Amino acid sequence: MSKGTIALLVNSNAQNWSPERWKARFGEVCPDRRVVLLPDPALDPAEVHYAAVWKPKPGDLAAFKNLRAIFNLGAGVDALMVDRSLPDVPLVRVAVGDLTDRMTEYVVLHVLMHHRQELYLRDSQRARRWEPKYQWVASAITVGVMGLGTLGAASADALRALGFRVVGWSRSEKQVEGVTCFHGSDGLDAFLRATNILVCLLPLTPDTRHVLNRDVFAKLDRSSPMGAPVIINAGRGGLQNEPDILRSLDDGTLGAASLDVFETEPLPEASPFWTHPKVVLTPHNAADTDADEISKYVARQIAQFEAGGALENVVDRGRGY
Ligand code: NDP
Ligand code: OXD
């Protein structure tokens, strides 16, 4: 019996996201299967058993009636959750060491950048100004990690190893070694009041949309040697209220912001974020998905599934992540 086709649908213009590269990689790791790139007018949808996708448009997968599983080619599934016609089969997201390590690097880099006053120091260099400022120790700063899942827990661990105090916030009650954990809406205020640098690694769901807003910023702790608190968002742009961030940076409620994600991506040329002196901006590449690693991950899961095993990292559609 012939093995079902894998259909790939990749909506991205990022350099490492070429659909042809994904197709070549899947061809290598699934040599006994047909791999097609969508859209393909010659394809009989009934032959497709697996879809591997990034940001499909609502309705793009509705015709595939014999699908057995959908693999999202990244960690965040918000683009799929809005598709009311998404076939009712297991939806698997990415949770692999490669992606986690990349995100940990981003978080550590940006926490250290603010902790070590890099914005001030680069300004000083440009102005030929030799005016060192007192540099406090890591243990004087509490980093608050919103989202203690695969990515948040790994970042919390790395920050703790550097000497930062770490607190965390999740939906359900959690225990993470060395991290003071808060959960749910009841735990949010206490979490914020302890936090000097707020790192957001939440998924975008109806519950988390615009969670990074002015009320939240106003509750962050200002009593550390750093003074005004800082936010770092590498989750999704929809988690942040962008006018609130700009207003809070301008009136000193926030000292600075590192933003990897935006409500509209690519960020429009006219956006004030591009030139804001207190913003460190990256183009949604905090943790790039690597086609080599992820194609192997999907191939392994398909083999495991067809041998009667369970799929890993299946999204709970009720929770939305
Ligand atoms: P996980 O699903 O492993 O973890 C999500 C965490 O968020 C969990 O701790 C969960 O709580 C918590 N959470 C969810 N909803 C709420 C809520 N309403 N209130 C409080 N906490 C909540 O996800 P990952 O760690 O793998 O990824 C997180 C996100 O990072 C992705 O969804 C994606 O959007 C983003 N991302 C961004 C990348 C980039 O390059 N910028 C790259 C990869 C991912 P609980 O533990 O109780 O379930
Ligand atoms: C992801 C991402 O969710 O790259 O994996 O944003």
Side-chain angles (χ1 to χ4, degrees):
M1 197 178 73
S2 79
K3 292 194 165 183
T5 297
I6 302 179
L8 287 170
L9 200 165
V10 179
N11 274 323
S12 171
N13 59 6
Q15 191 193 14
N16 62 325
W17 276 92
S18 137
E20 287 70 29
R21 174 150 179 256
W22 279 103
K23 182 167 187 271
R25 279 302 299 155
F26 270 93
E28 282 165 36
V29 295
C30 301
D32 50 351
R33 264 175 216 283
R34 190 167 163 229
V35 179
V36 295
L37 274 181
L38 297 180
D40 179 346
L43 176 69
D44 174 2
E47 288 172 8
V48 175
H49 287 178
Y50 302 101
V53 299
W54 183 242
K55 293 192 182 162
K57 292 189 194 60
D60 276 351
L61 298 180
F64 299 104
K65 302 295 180 202
N66 293 328
L67 268 188
R68 295 179 182 169
I70 301 168
F71 293 90
N72 184 51
L73 295 174
V77 293
D78 43 294
L80 288 155
M81 287 294 94
V82 296
D83 184 354
R84 297 279 152 237
S85 65
L86 197 69
D88 187 16
V89 294
L91 168 60
V92 175
R93 68 186 202 93
V94 168
V96 294
D98 178 80
L99 190 85
T100 305
D101 292 347
R102 290 163 194 258
M103 183 58 87
T104 303
E105 286 177 6
Y106 170 90
V107 170
V108 167
L109 172 71
H110 286 262
V111 167
L112 285 177
M113 186 184 303
H114 297 294
H115 160 63
R116 296 289 312 197
Q117 308 176 85
E118 275 293 310
L119 296 186
Y120 167 78
L121 291 169
R122 289 315 113 225
D123 270 356
S124 300
Q125 179 181 350
R126 278 188 290 274
R128 298 168 184 261
R129 195 177 57 216
W130 189 273
E131 286 176 13
K133 275 199 194 177
Y134 171 69
Q135 182 56 54
W136 52 84
V137 291
S139 60
I141 300 298
T142 301
V143 183
V145 181
M146 294 183 112
L148 287 174
T150 307
L151 303 180
S155 288
D157 231 30
L159 293 166
R160 216 166 50 81
L162 286 170
F164 291 99
R165 293 192 302 243
V166 183
V167 298
W169 185 65
S170 53
R171 195 182 53 86
S172 59
E173 192 169 353
K174 281 223 132 48
Q175 284 183 347
V176 180
E177 200 192 329
V179 177
T180 307
C181 294
F182 301 88
H183 68 278
S185 41
D186 290 350
L188 183 58
D189 274 18
F191 163 79
L192 297 171
R193 295 202 189 286
T195 295
N196 308 123
I197 298 180
L198 182 67
V199 174
C200 183
L201 289 172
L202 289 168
L204 178 61
T205 69
D207 289 339
T208 60
R209 182 169 290 282
H210 287 183
V211 66
L212 297 176
N213 60 58
R214 197 168 161 80
D215 287 347
V216 157
F217 305 150
K219 288 176 184 160
L220 295 169
D221 176 48
R222 309 178 66 83
S223 69
S224 82
M226 201 173 70
V230 164
I231 61 163
I232 299 172
N233 184 16
R236 282 288 182 269
L239 296 163
Q240 68 202 15
N241 180 320
E242 296 186 347
D244 278 10
I245 294 180
L246 290 166
R247 194 174 146 215
S248 301
L249 288 170
D250 290 342
D251 71 7
T253 302
L254 289 176
S258 284
L259 304 174
D260 182 59
V261 286
F262 295 89
E263 291 245 45
T264 304
E265 294 180 6
L267 186 65
E269 220 178 300
S271 167
F273 284 116
W274 284 112
T275 51
H276 199 291
K278 294 183 180 174
V279 172
V280 184
L281 179 161
T282 46
H284 196 149
N285 74 336
D288 272 342
T289 293
D290 180 68
D292 290 355
E293 286 302 317
I294 305 310
S295 55
K296 278 191 274 179
Y297 166 79
V298 174
R300 178 180 64 74
Q301 289 239 45
I302 291 177
Q304 190 170 301
F305 180 59
E306 294 199 341
L311 291 166
E312 298 160 21
N313 305 311
V314 175
V315 170
D316 178 333
R317 293 203 193 192
R319 291 185 325 193
Y321 68 96

